[in-house]
């Protein structure tokens, strides 16, 4: 059963369509990432589910019940805001207990629940502190505990880790996922950080300009992006434009016949292919190790050393149709002691399984 | 600016000392003279409460003082109430011409009081409000509002709206969110604004002078009238009391406002 269903949601702010006929079902207990650049509508979608505004059209159900006419405080949601929005005048205990206090629960019950939540987020002993006396990571945990204490139907996270530094963010990612698994709550989170989306999500939706472009498991969306936008927003991609030759191959100017799996349009149609930078094998020309189906000759024009990997910019020997130079980005794990020097003639090869056919 | 040389450091300190002397020496002298027995400000200094005793028997000054305190208190309540609501509205809602509205708040602070007082007097007569304590209250409220809006607005800036949103996601009704979150968060700002409004009214001379009918006056107006007749240390005594109250308010305000600054 779907915990949250959004169907044909439309929201305009003035002339701008922030949500443009968006439909998505969030399954019970899943961790769902909404990924997109700023202005893509991901936050608008999250806030629509929370109920901060009414949709111009479309319908939202939480637990099967339409909530269009329910104000935020009656939607039984939990939300963690980007800057946490902790109540500065209340202690950690009263922040976490707030949701129960406004429901008029007895003091003893609130105390017990707060204690349970503090143990869950590993903050026991800090209940008397004020938010400003906590570190960023601790504030984040309080915000999470506060959102979960009322046992909401869905947990909404708005860039929950955006304000933390990188190391802390990675720790919190692991912890967030563990907590979510333990209590099994349906969680929808907004991020513009692709790595975060891949790490945390059971499923991802990629949004752009108020539309959902693709929904799928992280590996699906990463390995088989359907659009050029999805390919370049989630990860990096090299694009090759070509013309359909027959049912199983595409001609790319200067590179010859590239085998492509999947449903190609009729012969003669122009298509765009993508290959991820890490899918290439790169070696000096003539080394003779490459046995993949596709090979291209090129010259190293740039190399960026970043510890675990090296990013090469390889200019292809064969120019594009218009005659201008073409360069591909290639990632190579840092196995060899010496990176390839600039100017080295190289051969790139990749498996046909890694050629992605994009929808135009 | 770090003042590497000792010479530079002492120059800055000397400058600061001179500034403080310039500001406070007259006040200190005035206060001291309230405790001097001589009616002609003669030295040597002889400590005495004679002028405070005289003050206690001066019904005109006492009545003026009561008027001032009453007016300032009423002004505090009205201006803080209206100003706080205005500050919330300006913080919360998209209002057409909001920027212009906010700019329009400031000229009353910069326009000379003499001109504001004159225009109020003419306007109040023209629409039939006339003069009196009610007219003075109107004038003081109008004068205090910009201060209240600015002081409360500064406290609201930086996410009180989001705190209400957070409260709503936790199940708080709008009323609960306001009562349990917004109000306590902005309370220091509101109290500070109230003190400010009290002080603006209590210290106000020009507008009170213009709008006061014969027989009614406030402390500043009464002091002015007394000085015109002749200077006695009784004025020093009442001034010393006013200074005490003003400084007290100022300290409370500074303390609250420092709290208002941190989050």
């Amino acid at each position: 059963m779907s915990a949250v269903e959004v169907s044909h949601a439309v929201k305009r702010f003035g002339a701008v369509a922030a949500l443009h006929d968006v439909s998505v079902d969030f399954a019970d207990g899943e961790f769902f990432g909404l990924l997109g650049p700023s202005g893509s509508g991901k936050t608008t979608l999250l806030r629509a589910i929370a109920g901060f505004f009414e949709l111009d059209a479309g319908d939202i159900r939480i637990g099967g019940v339409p909530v269009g006419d329910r104000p935020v405080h009656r939607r039984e949601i939990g939300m963690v805001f980007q800057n946490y929005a902790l109540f500065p005048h209340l202690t950690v205990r009263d922040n976490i207990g707030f949701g129960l206090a406004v429901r008029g629960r007895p003091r003893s019950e609130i105390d017990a629940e707060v204690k349970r939540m503090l143990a869950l987020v590993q903050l026991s002993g800090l209940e008397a502190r004020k938010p400003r006396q906590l570190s960023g990571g601790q504030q984040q945990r309080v915000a999470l505990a506060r959102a979960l204490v009322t046992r909401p139907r869905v947990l909404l996270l708005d860039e929950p880790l955006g304000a933390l530094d990188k190391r802390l963010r990675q720790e919190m990612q692991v912890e967030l996922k563990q907590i979510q698994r333990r209590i099994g709550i349906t969680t929808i989170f907004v991020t513009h950080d692709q790595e975060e989306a891949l790490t945390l999500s059971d499923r991802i939706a990629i949004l752009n300009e108020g539309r959902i472009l693709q929904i799928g498991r992280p590996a699906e969306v990463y390995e088989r992006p359907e659009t050029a936008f999805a390919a370049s927003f989630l990860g990096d991609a090299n694009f090759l434009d070509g013309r359909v030759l027959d049912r199983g191959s595409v001609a790319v100017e200067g590179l010859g016949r590239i085998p492509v799996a999947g449903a190609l349009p009729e012969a003669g149609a122009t298509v765009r292919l993508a290959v991820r930078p890490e899918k290439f094998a790169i070696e000096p020309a003539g080394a003779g190790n490459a046995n993949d189906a596709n090979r291209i000759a090129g010259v190293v024009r740039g190399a960026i050393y970043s510890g675990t990997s090296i990013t090469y910019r390889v200019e292809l020997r064969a120019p594009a149709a218009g005659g201008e130079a073409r360069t591909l980005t290639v990632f190579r794990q840092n196995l060899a002691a010496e990176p390839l020097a600039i100017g080295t003639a190289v051969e790139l090869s990749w498996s046909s399984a890694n050629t992605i056919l994009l929808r135009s | 600016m770090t003042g590497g040389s000792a010479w530079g450091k002492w120059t800055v300190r000397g400058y600061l000392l001179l500034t403080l002397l310039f500001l406070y020496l007259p006040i200190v002298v005035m206060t001291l003279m309230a405790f001097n027995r001589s009616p002609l400000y003669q030295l040597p200094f002889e400590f005495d409460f004679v002028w405070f005793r005289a003050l206690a028997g001066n019904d005109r000054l006492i009545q003026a003082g009561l008027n001032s305190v009453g007016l300032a208190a009423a002004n505090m309540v009205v201006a803080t109430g209206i100003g706080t609501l205005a500050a919330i509205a300006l913080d919360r809602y998209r209002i057409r011409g909001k920027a212009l509205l906010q700019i329009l708040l400031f000229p009353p602070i910069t326009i000379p009081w003499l001109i504001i007082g004159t225009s109020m007097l003419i306007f109040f007569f023209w629409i039939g409000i006339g003069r009196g304590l009610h007219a003075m209250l109107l004038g003081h409220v109008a004068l205090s509002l910009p201060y209240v809006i600015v002081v409360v607005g500064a406290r609201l800036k930086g996410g009180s709206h989001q705190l209400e949103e957070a409260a709503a996601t936790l199940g708080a009704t709008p009323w609960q969110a306001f009562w349990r979150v917004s109000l306590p968060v902005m309370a220091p700002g509101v109290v500070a604004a109230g003190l400010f409004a009290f002080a603006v009214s209590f210290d106000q001379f020009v507008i009170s002078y213009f709008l006061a009918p014969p027989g009614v006056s406030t402390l500043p107006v009464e002091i002015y009238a007394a000085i015109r007749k002749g200077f006695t240390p009784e004025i020093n005594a009442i001034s010393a009391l006013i200074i005490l109250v003003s400084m007290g308010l100022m300290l409370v305000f500074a303390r609250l406002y420092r709290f208002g600054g941190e989050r």
Side-chain angles (χ1 to χ4, degrees):
Chain A
M1 194 196 83
S2 296
V4 179
E5 296 158 71
V6 177
S7 44
H8 304 292
V10 175
K11 180 65 190 175
R12 284 181 211 90
F13 292 118
V16 186
L19 292 178
H20 203 292
D21 193 22
V22 167
S23 295
V24 52
D25 285 1
F26 303 93
D28 209 8
E30 89 175 321
F31 205 124
F32 197 108
L34 301 175
L35 183 65
S38 57
S40 61
K42 58 188 194 300
T43 302
T44 307
L45 178 55
L46 195 79
R47 291 176 63 83
I49 296 168
F52 288 124
F53 52 79
E54 282 177 39
L55 293 174
D56 295 328
D59 182 45
I60 294 174
R61 288 162 184 267
I62 298 178
V65 182
V67 293
D69 55 354
R70 275 199 203 179
V72 181
H73 65 273
R74 291 187 52 234
R75 289 201 176 186
E76 296 173 70
I77 53 162
M79 183 157 176
V80 175
F81 293 79
Q82 186 169 10
N83 56 2
Y84 316 134
L86 297 178
F87 305 129
H89 61 298
L90 297 180
T91 60
V92 168
R93 180 193 292 115
D94 291 342
N95 262 284
I96 297 176
F98 187 89
L100 300 174
V102 295
R103 285 173 172 76
R105 301 283 174 77
R107 187 79 223 177
S108 56
E109 185 194 331
I110 295 176
D111 285 344
E113 286 295 298
V114 167
K115 206 164 194 170
R116 192 176 64 86
M117 293 315 305
L118 280 167
L120 182 72
V121 299
Q122 300 174 27
L123 282 181
S124 300
L126 297 183
E127 37 276 79
R129 298 263 185 99
K130 290 282 183 68
R132 64 169 174 273
Q133 296 169 308
L134 301 176
S135 70
Q138 289 170 332
Q139 291 184 14
Q140 220 274 335
R141 288 155 197 256
V142 173
L144 186 63
R146 184 179 71 172
L148 290 172
V149 75
T150 57
R151 299 171 195 265
R153 289 175 174 277
V154 57
L155 178 62
L156 308 174
L157 309 172
D158 184 7
E159 305 254 3
L161 308 176
L164 303 176
D165 64 57
K166 191 178 178 202
R167 183 52 60 94
L168 194 55
R169 196 158 69 223
Q170 287 171 340
E171 282 173 31
M172 283 304 297
Q173 281 176 6
V174 174
E175 204 172 317
L176 191 57
K177 184 101 177 178
Q178 280 175 351
I179 291 173
Q180 190 265 345
R181 282 276 169 276
R182 202 174 318 158
I183 58 179
I185 186 171
T186 309
T187 303
I188 305 171
F189 85 111
V190 155
T191 184
H192 64 262
D193 182 332
Q194 43 158 311
E195 193 192 314
E196 195 168 291
L198 291 172
T199 319
L200 288 173
S201 311
D202 297 318
R203 284 198 302 157
I204 294 175
I206 301 220
L207 286 90
N208 190 35
E209 294 175 342
R211 286 183 171 83
I212 291 186
L213 297 182
Q214 191 171 357
I215 299 177
R217 288 183 294 106
E220 271 169 24
V221 179
Y222 184 80
E223 301 295 341
R224 292 285 143 199
E226 289 170 1
T227 55
F229 180 86
S232 55
F233 190 75
L234 188 66
D236 295 277
N238 294 293
F239 296 111
L240 299 169
D241 291 323
R243 206 168 279 281
V244 176
L245 276 180
D246 51 50
R247 289 174 70 92
S249 59
V250 170
V252 176
E253 180 69 31
L255 304 183
R257 189 174 161 281
I258 309 266
V260 173
L264 284 167
E266 75 279 8
T270 57
V271 290
R272 173 167 275 197
L273 306 176
V275 182
R276 299 266 186 213
E278 73 278 10
K279 304 296 186 189
F280 290 110
I282 183 170
E283 62 182 14
N289 297 323
N291 50 12
D292 282 323
N294 306 290
R295 294 182 201 194
I296 319 179
V299 177
V300 174
R301 289 294 181 216
I304 299 166
Y305 179 84
S306 53
T308 56
S309 67
I310 299 166
T311 304
Y312 292 107
R313 215 157 43 76
V314 176
E315 184 182 326
L316 301 190
R317 287 260 187 243
E324 79 265 35
R326 272 184 299 190
T327 55
L328 298 183
T329 304
V330 178
F331 296 159
R332 189 199 203 191
Q333 226 190 326
N334 190 6
L335 295 170
E338 282 296 314
L340 297 167
I342 308 242
T344 310
V346 292
E347 189 168 48
L348 300 178
S349 60
W350 77 96
S351 155
S352 293
N354 291 322
T355 307
I356 303 161
L357 172 66
L358 299 173
R359 203 173 61 203
S360 48
Chain B
M1 259 307 283
T2 48
S5 72
W7 190 84
K9 201 158 94 179
W10 285 106
T11 310
V12 170
R13 285 186 184 177
Y15 182 72
L16 185 65
L17 189 71
L18 280 177
T19 308
L20 287 175
L21 273 181
F22 184 71
L23 275 174
Y24 283 100
L25 200 57
I27 295 175
V28 171
V29 169
M30 170 153 203
T31 309
L32 282 178
M33 283 304 163
F35 297 95
N36 189 10
R37 183 179 292 167
S38 162
L40 299 168
Y41 300 99
Q42 280 171 335
L43 295 174
F45 185 83
E46 277 180 86
F47 186 83
D48 203 326
F49 280 117
V50 61
W51 302 112
F52 287 90
R53 282 196 293 276
L55 193 62
N58 188 334
D59 291 337
R60 282 182 65 94
L61 265 181
I62 288 172
Q63 185 53 47
L66 289 177
N67 283 345
S68 268
V69 171
L71 195 58
N75 173 63
M76 178 174 76
V77 171
V78 176
T80 309
I82 299 175
T84 299
L85 294 179
I88 293 174
L90 285 172
D91 179 67
R92 209 53 58 86
Y93 302 107
R94 291 177 189 208
I95 302 166
R96 275 173 69 92
K98 180 155 101 180
L100 182 69
L101 209 61
Q102 280 170 321
I103 290 169
L104 282 177
L105 281 174
F106 289 100
I109 299 176
T110 55
I111 294 173
W113 285 342
L114 195 65
I115 292 170
I116 295 182
T118 311
S119 46
M120 278 182 179
L121 180 62
I122 294 168
F123 182 69
F124 285 178
F125 259 101
W126 189 49
I127 65 171
I129 290 176
R131 294 198 290 185
L133 283 173
H134 62 291
M136 291 156 81
L137 179 61
L138 273 178
H140 287 195
V141 167
L143 204 66
S144 314
L145 271 179
Y147 296 99
V148 173
I149 294 172
V150 167
V151 170
V152 175
R155 177 72 195 178
L156 290 176
K157 212 157 280 171
S160 89
H161 181 46
Q162 198 180 33
L163 293 180
E164 274 183 25
E165 283 190 344
T169 65
L170 294 166
T173 62
W175 178 246
Q176 283 175 319
F178 179 77
W179 198 245
R180 286 175 179 257
V181 176
S182 304
L183 199 62
V185 167
M186 69 178 169
V190 174
V191 174
L195 294 176
F196 218 114
F198 187 93
V200 164
S201 167
F202 195 73
D203 297 344
Q204 181 47 240
F205 169 68
V206 180
I207 288 173
S208 299
Y209 186 71
F210 278 30
L211 296 177
V216 176
S217 71
T218 63
L219 216 42
V221 174
E222 196 55 39
I223 290 172
Y224 176 71
I227 291 170
R228 281 168 52 123
K229 276 183 259 164
F231 220 88
T232 70
E234 211 176 329
I235 300 301
N236 293 47
I238 188 73
S239 302
L241 288 178
I242 294 174
I243 288 164
L244 199 71
V245 173
S246 292
M247 296 285 265
L249 285 182
M250 191 60 227
L251 286 177
V252 176
F253 177 83
R255 177 130 185 90
L256 286 172
Y257 219 62
R258 194 170 58 78
F259 276 125
E262 61 183 68
R263 286 199 59 88

